[in-house]
Amino acid sequence: MKFALKHLKLAMAGVAMMSTQVLADTHFLIPGGPGGGWDTTARAVGEALVKSGLESNASFQNMSGGGGGRAIAYLIESGSKKGDMLMVNSTPIVLRALSGKIPYSYRDLTPVASVIADYGAFVVRDDSPFKSWKEVIARLEVNPGSVTVAGGSARGSMDHLVAAQAVKAAGVDGRKLRYIPYDAGGKAKAGLLSGEVKMLSTGLSEALDMAKSGQARILAVTAPEPIADYPEIPTLKSLGYDMEFVNWRGFFAAPDLPQAKLDEYTVRLQKLVQSKEWEAVRARNGWLNLFKPQHEFIEALEAQEAQLKVVMEELGFVRRWLN
């Protein structure tokens, strides 16, 4: 009996050790400053991983510079030597490679998985004279440069591209839009709230933070249909403009990532999006689940790259002779 009890205790200890080994401390690398979509996504994922018990701890590192290129270079150079490290990114990694703004592409890294989809949103201060998207278009039709539009990234980047596409759908020349770039979403928000610019092009999750605080109003989003969690927000399509855009956000690892570690990340993220802790975070930010493991993620990246290349050429962000 004592022998059996002894081995039962050892077995239980072994299970405890295995449970401890499953939990990880993931370091999230964020290629921009605080307050932007990358920052929000990484911290939300880290929060839900810990609360759901899938990780013991999560740490975060903001690394601005070079349109995200500095963080990508750091991830490449560091390799997998620094333990569990995931870099959050989104559509800009495709856009900036196409435009030549960064010397890297997703092919220089290990795509792990996409996790969410976020829509574009157009935001004004709560005291803005613009009460609707149609009023903004009416002003732009008279003078395309009369409405300054802020974004948390450089000219030709996603915030700029989405705004240019939106006004183009209304018959306004998107190339004439007066876009003001800021270094990350937090500074772009500050630019709007301080009155430096008249409108902000950003992700819905960042826009919701401002709207809920009473500082700003969301005029429209780029969703194909009303968002279930926020049906009161107009979509461009519901206003009669044929334009929609969805921005994936996902995670990348070092180029030398071992297959076993990739498998571990994939399982962990898949369990995350099925958890109640994640559902609370997702609904709070107005995101859609868009979990795609590596092979599906890479297929989606390749398709988006081809599509955006055409759009960027049409808007003059990429010269055709570069093809």
Side-chain angles (χ1 to χ4, degrees):
M1 184 69 176
K2 289 182 179 179
F3 180 81
L5 284 172
K6 178 181 178 182
H7 279 266
L8 178 60
K9 289 178 180 178
L10 287 172
M12 290 176 68
V15 170
M17 287 179 65
M18 287 174 64
S19 299
T20 303
Q21 289 170 357
V22 169
L23 295 179
D25 294 349
T26 298
H27 184 66
F28 289 93
L29 182 62
I30 304 165
W38 288 333
D39 187 68
T40 303
T41 302
R43 292 177 190 277
V45 168
E47 172 194 335
L49 281 168
V50 173
K51 285 184 175 179
S52 63
L54 291 168
E55 288 195 3
S56 56
N57 187 42
S59 57
F60 309 90
Q61 179 181 3
N62 292 88
M63 186 177 287
S64 299
R70 182 178 170 220
I72 294 173
Y74 177 79
L75 186 60
I76 292 171
E77 291 166 7
S78 298
S80 53
K81 298 187 291 291
K82 293 187 178 293
D84 284 10
M85 181 161 60
L86 289 175
M87 182 188 73
V88 64
N89 220 296
S90 55
T91 303
I93 198 172
V94 177
L95 284 171
R96 289 169 184 167
L98 283 172
S99 64
K101 299 289 185 184
I102 58 174
Y104 312 103
S105 79
Y106 63 86
R107 295 180 177 85
D108 296 303
L109 302 168
T110 300
V112 175
S114 66
V115 175
I116 62 161
D118 192 16
Y119 297 112
F122 304 107
V123 190
V124 294
R125 278 193 357 176
D126 192 56
D127 61 355
S128 169
F130 295 119
K131 304 302 180 186
S132 70
W133 177 253
K134 287 184 178 291
E135 290 182 9
V136 174
I137 294 302
R139 175 73 66 82
L140 291 173
E141 286 174 338
V142 176
N143 182 356
S146 63
V147 180
T148 48
V149 181
S153 45
R155 288 183 58 79
S157 61
M158 188 184 70
D159 290 341
H160 189 184
L161 182 70
V162 172
Q165 280 187 281
V167 301
K168 182 175 180 287
V172 177
D173 188 349
R175 293 171 296 182
K176 294 182 179 179
L177 189 70
R178 193 174 168 198
Y179 178 80
I180 310 298
Y182 287 82
D183 180 18
K187 291 183 179 179
K189 289 180 192 177
L192 176 70
L193 297 177
S194 68
E196 291 178 359
V197 295
K198 296 178 180 178
M199 190 168 72
L200 172 65
S201 172
T202 188
L204 176 59
S205 56
E206 298 92 84
L208 285 170
D209 285 343
M210 301 174 73
K212 288 174 181 177
S213 69
Q215 297 175 300
R217 287 180 287 109
I218 303 173
L219 298 183
V221 293
T222 62
E225 56 190 28
I227 298 168
D229 297 308
Y230 301 95
E232 71 280 4
I233 302 176
T235 67
L236 290 177
K237 285 207 162 186
S238 72
L239 296 173
Y241 306 105
D242 187 18
M243 189 270 181
E244 60 183 81
F245 178 85
V246 62
N247 174 35
W248 58 266
R249 292 204 187 106
F251 293 95
F252 296 80
D256 60 347
L257 186 75
Q259 182 63 44
K261 182 59 69 174
L262 173 63
D263 295 341
E264 179 186 319
Y265 285 145
T266 303
V267 169
R268 198 182 308 162
L269 290 171
Q270 189 167 26
K271 287 181 178 179
L272 170 72
V273 298
Q274 296 169 347
S275 69
K276 67 180 188 299
E277 291 81 7
W278 171 251
E279 176 56 24
V281 169
R282 183 212 63 75
R284 183 179 76 209
N285 289 284
W287 294 331
L288 292 180
N289 283 323
L290 188 68
F291 177 78
K292 291 182 183 290
Q294 188 189 63
H295 66 285
E296 294 179 26
F297 188 24
I298 291 174
E299 287 176 0
L301 287 167
E302 291 171 345
Q304 185 183 53
E305 185 177 49
Q307 180 185 21
L308 288 177
K309 188 176 182 182
V310 174
V311 173
M312 291 175 76
E313 286 175 348
E314 290 175 350
L315 291 170
F317 293 148
V318 174
R319 294 185 182 180
R320 294 184 186 276
W321 56 262
L322 289 176
N323 302 329

